Amino acid sequence: MAEPLLSVRDLRVTFPTRRGVLTAVDGVSFDIMPGEILGVVGESGAGKSQTGAAIIGLLEPPGRIASGTIHLEGERIDRLSPDKLRRIRGRRIGAVFQDPLTSLNPLYTIGRQLTETMRTHLDLSEAQARDRAVALLGEVGIPAPADRLDAYPHQFSGGMRQRVVIALALCANPRLIIADEPTTALDVSIQAQITALLKRLCREHDTAVLLITHDMGVIAETADRVAVLYGGRLAEVGPVDAVVNRPLHPYTEGLMACIPTTHDRPPRLAQIEGSMPSLRAMPAGCAFHPRCPHAFNRCVAERPPLFDHPPSAAACWLWAPEGARAAPRERTAS
Protein backbone atom coordinates (compact mmCIF):
# COMPACT_ATOMS: atom_id res chain seq x y z
CA MET A 1 0.00 0.00 0.00
CA ALA A 2 1.06 3.60 -0.59
CA GLU A 3 2.35 5.56 2.35
CA PRO A 4 -0.03 8.18 3.78
CA LEU A 5 0.67 11.76 2.85
CA LEU A 6 -0.40 12.96 6.31
CA SER A 7 -0.34 10.82 9.43
CA VAL A 8 -1.73 12.11 12.73
CA ARG A 9 -1.32 9.97 15.83
CA ASP A 10 -2.82 10.54 19.29
CA LEU A 11 -2.98 14.31 18.78
CA ARG A 12 -3.79 16.23 21.95
CA VAL A 13 -4.26 20.01 21.92
CA THR A 14 -4.59 21.83 25.24
CA PHE A 15 -5.24 25.37 26.44
CA PRO A 16 -3.82 26.22 29.89
CA THR A 17 -6.13 28.58 31.82
CA ARG A 18 -6.37 29.93 35.35
CA ARG A 19 -8.98 27.30 36.16
CA GLY A 20 -7.03 24.39 34.75
CA VAL A 21 -6.00 22.87 31.45
CA LEU A 22 -8.69 22.54 28.76
CA THR A 23 -8.30 19.73 26.23
CA ALA A 24 -9.73 20.77 22.85
CA VAL A 25 -8.44 17.76 20.88
CA ASP A 26 -8.04 14.52 22.80
CA GLY A 27 -6.17 11.59 21.23
CA VAL A 28 -7.22 12.01 17.59
CA SER A 29 -5.57 9.76 14.97
CA PHE A 30 -6.09 9.53 11.20
CA ASP A 31 -4.27 9.23 7.87
CA ILE A 32 -4.78 11.00 4.54
CA MET A 33 -3.54 9.36 1.36
CA PRO A 34 -2.21 11.32 -1.66
CA GLY A 35 -5.10 12.80 -3.65
CA GLU A 36 -7.66 11.84 -1.01
CA ILE A 37 -10.28 14.16 0.50
CA LEU A 38 -10.90 13.44 4.17
CA GLY A 39 -13.93 15.23 5.61
CA VAL A 40 -13.90 16.16 9.30
CA VAL A 41 -17.39 16.82 10.62
CA GLY A 42 -19.05 17.60 13.94
CA GLU A 43 -20.90 20.26 15.87
CA SER A 44 -19.33 23.55 16.89
CA GLY A 45 -16.82 22.87 19.64
CA ALA A 46 -16.02 19.35 18.46
CA GLY A 47 -12.35 20.21 17.84
CA LYS A 48 -12.40 20.31 14.03
CA SER A 49 -10.72 23.67 13.51
CA GLN A 50 -8.21 23.11 16.32
CA THR A 51 -7.14 19.87 14.63
CA GLY A 52 -6.52 21.72 11.37
CA ALA A 53 -4.74 24.59 13.14
CA ALA A 54 -2.46 22.13 14.95
CA ILE A 55 -1.46 20.46 11.67
CA ILE A 56 -0.62 23.72 9.95
CA GLY A 57 1.03 25.23 13.04
CA LEU A 58 -1.44 28.07 13.56
CA LEU A 59 -2.76 27.36 17.04
CA GLU A 60 -3.71 30.56 18.85
CA PRO A 61 -1.77 31.04 22.12
CA PRO A 62 -1.97 29.68 24.75
CA GLY A 63 -3.03 26.63 22.75
CA ARG A 64 -0.33 24.02 22.19
CA ILE A 65 0.21 20.46 21.07
CA ALA A 66 0.56 18.62 24.39
CA SER A 67 1.26 15.18 22.91
CA GLY A 68 1.00 13.11 19.76
CA THR A 69 2.77 13.26 16.40
CA ILE A 70 2.09 14.76 12.96
CA HIS A 71 4.00 13.42 9.96
CA LEU A 72 3.87 14.97 6.47
CA GLU A 73 5.33 12.71 3.77
CA GLY A 74 7.23 10.84 6.47
CA GLU A 75 8.68 13.99 8.08
CA ARG A 76 7.63 14.87 11.59
CA ILE A 77 6.40 18.48 11.56
CA ASP A 78 4.81 19.02 14.99
CA ARG A 79 8.19 19.82 16.56
CA LEU A 80 9.53 22.12 13.86
CA SER A 81 10.61 25.68 14.67
CA PRO A 82 8.27 28.53 13.62
CA ASP A 83 10.67 29.45 10.81
CA LYS A 84 10.70 25.92 9.36
CA LEU A 85 6.92 25.67 9.70
CA ARG A 86 6.59 28.94 7.78
CA ARG A 87 8.48 27.39 4.88
CA ILE A 88 6.09 24.43 4.86
CA ARG A 89 2.95 26.58 4.93
CA GLY A 90 2.09 27.62 1.39
CA ARG A 91 4.72 25.35 -0.19
CA ARG A 92 3.70 21.91 1.08
CA ILE A 93 0.49 22.76 2.95
CA GLY A 94 -2.08 25.23 1.62
CA ALA A 95 -5.09 26.60 3.47
CA VAL A 96 -8.60 27.75 2.56
CA PHE A 97 -10.49 29.46 5.38
CA GLN A 98 -14.17 30.21 5.94
CA ASP A 99 -14.09 33.95 5.23
CA PRO A 100 -11.95 34.83 2.20
CA LEU A 101 -11.67 38.43 3.38
CA THR A 102 -9.58 37.25 6.33
CA SER A 103 -7.22 35.44 3.92
CA LEU A 104 -6.78 38.30 1.45
CA ASN A 105 -5.05 41.60 2.19
CA PRO A 106 -7.48 44.41 1.21
CA LEU A 107 -4.57 46.77 0.44
CA TYR A 108 -2.94 44.56 -2.20
CA THR A 109 -4.20 43.47 -5.60
CA ILE A 110 -5.05 39.83 -6.18
CA GLY A 111 -2.13 39.56 -8.60
CA ARG A 112 0.38 40.87 -6.09
CA GLN A 113 -0.77 38.40 -3.43
CA LEU A 114 -0.59 35.46 -5.82
CA THR A 115 2.79 36.36 -7.33
CA GLU A 116 4.33 37.18 -3.94
CA THR A 117 3.31 33.77 -2.58
CA MET A 118 4.64 31.95 -5.62
CA ARG A 119 7.98 33.78 -5.62
CA THR A 120 8.40 33.10 -1.91
CA HIS A 121 8.17 29.34 -2.41
CA LEU A 122 9.08 28.76 -6.07
CA ASP A 123 12.00 29.81 -8.24
CA LEU A 124 10.05 32.06 -10.62
CA SER A 125 10.64 35.45 -12.17
CA GLU A 126 8.05 38.20 -11.80
CA ALA A 127 6.82 37.59 -15.37
CA GLN A 128 6.61 33.82 -14.87
CA ALA A 129 4.72 34.24 -11.59
CA ARG A 130 2.28 36.65 -13.21
CA ASP A 131 1.64 34.25 -16.12
CA ARG A 132 1.05 31.43 -13.66
CA ALA A 133 -1.32 33.62 -11.61
CA VAL A 134 -3.39 34.34 -14.72
CA ALA A 135 -3.52 30.63 -15.53
CA LEU A 136 -4.59 29.75 -11.98
CA LEU A 137 -7.34 32.36 -11.92
CA GLY A 138 -8.65 30.94 -15.18
CA GLU A 139 -8.44 27.42 -13.78
CA VAL A 140 -10.60 28.31 -10.76
CA GLY A 141 -13.22 29.96 -12.98
CA ILE A 142 -12.46 33.69 -12.74
CA PRO A 143 -13.66 35.29 -16.03
CA ALA A 144 -11.15 37.45 -17.92
CA PRO A 145 -8.35 36.51 -15.49
CA ALA A 146 -5.72 38.76 -17.07
CA ASP A 147 -7.95 41.79 -16.54
CA ARG A 148 -8.93 40.82 -12.98
CA LEU A 149 -5.37 40.23 -11.84
CA ASP A 150 -4.93 43.87 -10.84
CA ALA A 151 -8.29 44.12 -9.03
CA TYR A 152 -8.59 44.35 -5.24
CA PRO A 153 -10.45 41.82 -3.04
CA HIS A 154 -13.42 44.17 -2.45
CA GLN A 155 -14.04 44.21 -6.21
CA PHE A 156 -14.95 40.50 -6.20
CA SER A 157 -18.13 38.80 -4.99
CA GLY A 158 -17.96 36.35 -2.07
CA GLY A 159 -17.92 33.31 -4.35
CA MET A 160 -15.24 34.84 -6.59
CA ARG A 161 -13.11 35.75 -3.56
CA GLN A 162 -13.28 32.14 -2.39
CA ARG A 163 -12.12 31.02 -5.84
CA VAL A 164 -9.17 33.40 -5.52
CA VAL A 165 -8.33 31.89 -2.09
CA ILE A 166 -8.38 28.40 -3.63
CA ALA A 167 -6.01 29.63 -6.36
CA LEU A 168 -3.81 31.10 -3.62
CA ALA A 169 -3.80 27.77 -1.77
CA LEU A 170 -2.81 25.90 -4.95
CA CYS A 171 -0.30 28.40 -6.36
CA ALA A 172 2.83 26.72 -4.92
CA ASN A 173 1.64 23.18 -5.76
CA PRO A 174 1.14 22.02 -2.15
CA ARG A 175 0.72 18.35 -1.33
CA LEU A 176 -2.02 19.02 1.23
CA ILE A 177 -4.78 21.61 1.56
CA ILE A 178 -6.58 22.28 4.83
CA ALA A 179 -10.00 23.69 3.97
CA ASP A 180 -11.73 25.00 7.11
CA GLU A 181 -15.44 25.62 6.44
CA PRO A 182 -14.69 26.86 2.90
CA THR A 183 -18.36 27.12 1.86
CA THR A 184 -20.17 28.18 5.04
CA ALA A 185 -20.38 31.88 4.15
CA LEU A 186 -21.68 31.17 0.62
CA ASP A 187 -25.18 30.54 -0.70
CA VAL A 188 -26.19 27.03 -1.75
CA SER A 189 -25.58 27.37 -5.50
CA ILE A 190 -22.12 28.88 -4.96
CA GLN A 191 -21.38 26.18 -2.35
CA ALA A 192 -21.98 23.50 -4.98
CA GLN A 193 -19.68 25.25 -7.45
CA ILE A 194 -16.87 25.67 -4.90
CA THR A 195 -17.03 22.06 -3.66
CA ALA A 196 -17.05 20.76 -7.25
CA LEU A 197 -14.12 23.05 -8.09
CA LEU A 198 -12.13 21.93 -5.05
CA LYS A 199 -12.75 18.28 -5.84
CA ARG A 200 -11.77 18.66 -9.51
CA LEU A 201 -8.61 20.65 -8.84
CA CYS A 202 -7.41 18.21 -6.18
CA ARG A 203 -7.87 15.29 -8.56
CA GLU A 204 -5.98 17.12 -11.32
CA HIS A 205 -3.14 18.26 -9.04
CA ASP A 206 -3.09 15.02 -6.95
CA THR A 207 -3.47 17.17 -3.85
CA ALA A 208 -4.91 15.76 -0.63
CA VAL A 209 -7.51 17.76 1.30
CA LEU A 210 -8.55 17.91 4.94
CA LEU A 211 -12.09 19.30 4.57
CA ILE A 212 -13.44 20.69 7.84
CA THR A 213 -17.18 21.36 7.95
CA HIS A 214 -20.36 20.90 9.97
CA ASP A 215 -22.37 20.20 6.80
CA MET A 216 -22.90 16.49 6.15
CA GLY A 217 -24.28 17.37 2.69
CA VAL A 218 -20.94 18.90 1.69
CA ILE A 219 -19.16 15.84 3.09
CA ALA A 220 -21.39 13.43 1.15
CA GLU A 221 -20.79 15.29 -2.11
CA THR A 222 -17.07 15.95 -1.76
CA ALA A 223 -15.17 13.60 0.59
CA ASP A 224 -13.75 10.14 0.00
CA ARG A 225 -13.65 9.33 3.71
CA VAL A 226 -15.10 11.07 6.74
CA ALA A 227 -13.99 11.43 10.37
CA VAL A 228 -16.68 12.39 12.89
CA LEU A 229 -15.46 14.33 15.94
CA TYR A 230 -17.28 14.83 19.23
CA GLY A 231 -15.92 16.54 22.31
CA GLY A 232 -12.45 16.67 20.77
CA ARG A 233 -12.45 12.90 20.23
CA LEU A 234 -12.79 10.72 17.16
CA ALA A 235 -16.24 9.11 17.23
CA GLU A 236 -16.25 7.37 13.85
CA VAL A 237 -14.15 7.16 10.69
CA GLY A 238 -14.72 5.37 7.42
CA PRO A 239 -15.61 5.68 3.71
CA VAL A 240 -18.16 8.42 3.15
CA ASP A 241 -20.80 6.05 1.72
CA ALA A 242 -20.59 3.75 4.74
CA VAL A 243 -20.64 6.54 7.33
CA VAL A 244 -23.50 8.43 5.66
CA ASN A 245 -25.71 5.42 4.86
CA ARG A 246 -24.68 2.90 7.54
CA PRO A 247 -23.41 4.91 10.53
CA LEU A 248 -22.05 2.97 13.50
CA HIS A 249 -21.82 5.57 16.26
CA PRO A 250 -25.09 6.86 17.81
CA TYR A 251 -23.80 10.43 17.38
CA THR A 252 -23.32 9.90 13.64
CA GLU A 253 -26.79 8.36 13.48
CA GLY A 254 -28.15 11.47 15.17
CA LEU A 255 -26.37 13.79 12.74
CA MET A 256 -27.77 11.92 9.75
CA ALA A 257 -31.29 11.83 11.24
CA CYS A 258 -31.24 15.64 11.52
CA ILE A 259 -31.00 16.02 7.74
CA PRO A 260 -34.43 16.46 6.08
CA THR A 261 -35.25 14.14 3.19
CA THR A 262 -37.37 14.65 0.09
CA HIS A 263 -39.20 11.29 0.24
CA ASP A 264 -40.28 11.34 3.90
CA ARG A 265 -41.83 14.37 5.62
CA PRO A 266 -42.18 13.75 9.37
CA PRO A 267 -44.15 16.30 11.43
CA ARG A 268 -40.93 17.25 13.26
CA LEU A 269 -37.28 16.92 12.31
CA ALA A 270 -35.22 14.64 14.52
CA GLN A 271 -32.77 16.30 16.87
CA ILE A 272 -30.05 15.21 19.26
CA GLU A 273 -31.15 16.06 22.77
CA GLY A 274 -28.80 18.20 24.86
CA SER A 275 -25.69 20.01 23.67
CA MET A 276 -21.96 19.54 23.24
CA PRO A 277 -20.31 19.32 26.70
CA SER A 278 -18.11 22.18 27.86
CA LEU A 279 -14.37 21.56 27.87
CA ARG A 280 -14.49 22.46 31.56
CA ALA A 281 -17.03 19.71 32.28
CA MET A 282 -16.23 16.83 29.94
CA PRO A 283 -18.12 13.74 31.21
CA ALA A 284 -16.28 10.59 32.24
CA GLY A 285 -16.35 7.58 29.97
CA CYS A 286 -17.77 8.23 26.51
CA ALA A 287 -18.23 11.98 26.03
CA PHE A 288 -21.52 11.37 24.20
CA HIS A 289 -23.17 9.19 26.86
CA PRO A 290 -25.32 11.96 28.47
CA ARG A 291 -27.04 12.43 25.08
CA CYS A 292 -26.95 8.84 23.84
CA PRO A 293 -30.20 6.80 23.69
CA HIS A 294 -28.18 3.55 23.83
CA ALA A 295 -25.88 4.35 26.78
CA PHE A 296 -25.30 1.68 29.43
CA ASN A 297 -23.04 1.32 32.47
CA ARG A 298 -19.76 0.88 30.67
CA CYS A 299 -20.34 4.03 28.59
CA VAL A 300 -20.43 6.07 31.80
CA ALA A 301 -17.40 4.42 33.38
CA GLU A 302 -14.88 3.94 30.56
CA ARG A 303 -13.86 5.80 27.45
CA PRO A 304 -14.21 3.46 24.47
CA PRO A 305 -11.32 2.90 22.06
CA LEU A 306 -11.85 2.85 18.31
CA PHE A 307 -13.33 -0.53 17.35
CA ASP A 308 -12.85 -1.76 13.77
CA HIS A 309 -16.02 -2.76 11.96
CA PRO A 310 -14.93 -2.78 8.29
CA PRO A 311 -15.09 -0.66 6.32
CA SER A 312 -15.54 1.80 9.21
CA ALA A 313 -14.46 2.09 12.83
CA ALA A 314 -16.31 3.62 15.79
CA ALA A 315 -15.42 4.59 19.35
CA CYS A 316 -18.51 3.01 20.87
CA TRP A 317 -18.96 0.12 23.29
CA LEU A 318 -21.88 -1.12 21.16
CA TRP A 319 -19.26 -2.33 18.68
CA ALA A 320 -16.92 -3.90 21.22
CA PRO A 321 -16.03 -7.59 20.81
CA GLU A 322 -18.53 -10.06 22.26
CA GLY A 323 -18.57 -9.99 26.07
CA ALA A 324 -16.87 -6.61 26.43
CA ARG A 325 -20.12 -4.70 26.94
CA ALA A 326 -21.34 -6.33 30.11
CA ALA A 327 -19.58 -4.27 32.78
CA PRO A 328 -16.47 -2.18 33.30
CA ARG A 329 -13.39 -4.32 33.61
CA GLU A 330 -11.63 -4.41 36.96
CA ARG A 331 -8.64 -2.14 37.30
CA THR A 332 -5.49 -3.55 38.84
CA ALA A 333 -3.81 -1.66 41.64
CA SER A 334 -0.59 0.04 40.64
Side-chain angles (χ1 to χ4, degrees):
M1 289 182 63
E3 290 294 317
L5 176 73
L6 179 74
S7 182
V8 177
R9 288 291 174 272
D10 297 319
L11 180 64
R12 193 164 178 265
V13 175
T14 60
F15 287 80
T17 71
R18 297 178 190 174
R19 299 183 181 181
V21 177
L22 304 181
T23 303
V25 180
D26 193 0
V28 169
S29 300
F30 58 83
D31 292 331
I32 304 180
M33 305 303 290
E36 181 182 44
I37 300 178
L38 174 68
V40 178
V41 69
E43 295 171 90
S44 296
K48 308 182 301 295
S49 293
Q50 297 302 333
T51 300
I55 292 169
I56 205 170
L58 291 177
L59 283 171
E60 289 286 341
R64 67 186 187 91
I65 297 176
S67 61
T69 61
I70 302 171
H71 287 83
L72 179 68
E73 295 182 300
E75 178 188 0
R76 185 169 180 178
I77 63 172
D78 57 284
R79 290 183 174 177
L80 294 180
S81 67
D83 184 57
K84 290 182 178 179
L85 266 176
R86 198 175 299 115
R87 294 177 201 165
I88 287 178
R89 285 196 296 267
R91 180 64 186 94
R92 295 170 65 190
I93 304 178
V96 179
F97 296 109
Q98 178 175 343
D99 184 0
L101 281 178
T102 64
S103 305
L104 299 171
N105 191 322
L107 302 179
Y108 294 159
T109 65
I110 295 302
R112 176 173 175 178
Q113 295 180 64
L114 283 166
T115 56
E116 187 177 273
T117 302
M118 282 187 274
R119 298 194 69 195
T120 298
H121 298 288
L122 304 174
D123 185 18
L124 297 175
S125 67
E126 179 68 32
Q128 289 172 324
R130 192 172 176 87
D131 289 343
R132 178 166 166 75
V134 171
L136 275 171
L137 289 181
E139 197 173 0
V140 299
I142 301 291
D147 297 332
R148 304 302 299 274
L149 197 63
D150 294 318
Y152 289 86
H154 72 271
Q155 295 175 293
F156 291 79
S157 67
M160 287 297 173
R161 278 196 294 264
Q162 197 63 299
R163 290 172 185 267
V164 171
V165 171
I166 292 174
L168 195 60
L170 288 168
C171 68
N173 293 321
R175 300 289 289 129
L176 171 70
I177 290 179
I178 296 177
D180 190 353
E181 303 276 9
T183 62
T184 299
L186 307 175
D187 62 59
V188 176
S189 60
I190 302 300
Q191 277 189 17
Q193 294 174 23
I194 294 298
T195 53
L197 171 67
L198 195 62
K199 192 170 184 177
R200 174 178 65 81
L201 290 176
C202 290
R203 292 289 184 269
E204 292 175 357
H205 291 261
D206 196 30
T207 303
V209 179
L210 180 69
L211 176 62
I212 299 168
T213 182
H214 63 271
D215 191 333
M216 287 298 290
V218 171
I219 291 292
E221 288 294 324
T222 311
D224 300 306
R225 289 189 305 125
V226 57
V228 182
L229 294 189
Y230 185 84
R233 305 171 184 177
L234 191 60
E236 183 171 350
V237 62
V240 67
D241 177 68
V243 174
V244 168
N245 296 307
R246 298 177 300 281
L248 301 179
H249 200 283
Y251 177 58
T252 313
E253 287 182 354
L255 289 178
M256 297 310 304
C258 293
I259 301 175
T261 62
T262 56
H263 60 272
D264 184 21
R265 301 181 67 88
R268 288 176 62 89
L269 284 175
Q271 66 179 29
I272 304 173
E273 298 295 333
S275 59
M276 181 79 66
S278 165
L279 295 182
R280 298 185 187 279
M282 193 63 64
C286 174
F288 186 62
H289 84 254
R291 307 172 69 187
C292 182
H294 308 294
F296 53 97
N297 290 343
R298 189 157 200 175
C299 304
V300 178
E302 290 189 55
R303 176 178 171 177
L306 205 63
F307 293 108
D308 284 325
H309 191 77
S312 302
C316 179
W317 288 116
L318 293 172
W319 298 99
E322 192 68 27
R325 292 171 45 184
R329 61 176 178 267
E330 294 183 2
R331 298 183 184 276
T332 57
S334 57

